[in-house]
Amino acid sequence: MEGHQRNLYLYDRFNARVAGVSRDQVATLEFWAKDLGLEFPIFSNPIGHIGIWFNALQAGYPMFNRTTVIIDKWGVIRYMQPGNPDYRGILTVLKQLHEEEGQR
């Protein structure tokens, strides 16, 4: 999450917004976001529906696998990468989407 916070100014250049999802409760996430200085929303999803939707929840394991997802403004998933974020890959996709938008 801290890496996304550091890159917010770059994401903003491509008109992208960041949101996090966690199975933690809202109060825990509020404390955690404040402690880390996060300026983007983190949504509480204790049941795990979002993790299941993005195939980021392992059967029998109570936590999400880290997954980075980029959804364009039409709701189409344009990038999904499990594991730790690949910031270079994220920025490459955002740049591509920004250029596509400029061509419309």
Side-chain angles (χ1 to χ4, degrees), residues 6 8 16 26 36 41 66 75 77 81 84 88 94 96:
R6 284 190 302 274
L8 279 181
V26 172
L36 294 175
R66 289 182 183 197
I77 296 173
Q81 179 67 42
N84 290 327
R88 185 175 301 226
L94 293 178
Q96 177 186 354

Side-chain angles (χ1 to χ4, degrees), residues 37-51:
L38 303 180
E39 298 173 359
F40 55 87
I42 303 176
F43 299 101
S44 175
N45 184 235
I47 296 173
H49 288 89
I50 295 172

Side-chain angles (χ1 to χ4, degrees), residues 15-101:
N15 200 28
R17 300 298 171 258
V18 175
V21 178
S22 173
R23 292 190 73 168
D24 291 317
Q25 297 296 322
V26 172
T28 301
L29 294 177
E30 287 174 348
F31 174 81
W32 188 55
K34 183 178 179 182
D35 187 56
L36 294 175
L38 303 180
E39 298 173 359
F40 55 87
I42 303 176
F43 299 101
S44 175
N45 184 235
I47 296 173
H49 288 89
I50 295 172
I52 294 167
W53 188 35
F54 288 116
N55 199 29
L57 188 61
Q58 290 180 349
Y61 190 67
M63 298 182 65
F64 290 120
N65 290 323
R66 289 182 183 197
T67 303
T68 301
V69 181
I70 297 176
I71 304 170
D72 69 18
K73 68 181 187 177
W74 297 278
V76 176
I77 296 173
R78 300 292 295 264
Y79 175 91
M80 188 168 356
Q81 179 67 42
N84 290 327
D86 171 10
Y87 299 109
R88 185 175 301 226
I90 292 167
L91 292 171
T92 299
V93 172
L94 293 178
K95 181 180 179 191
Q96 177 186 354
L97 290 174
H98 187 71
E99 289 170 354
E100 288 175 12
E101 180 64 23

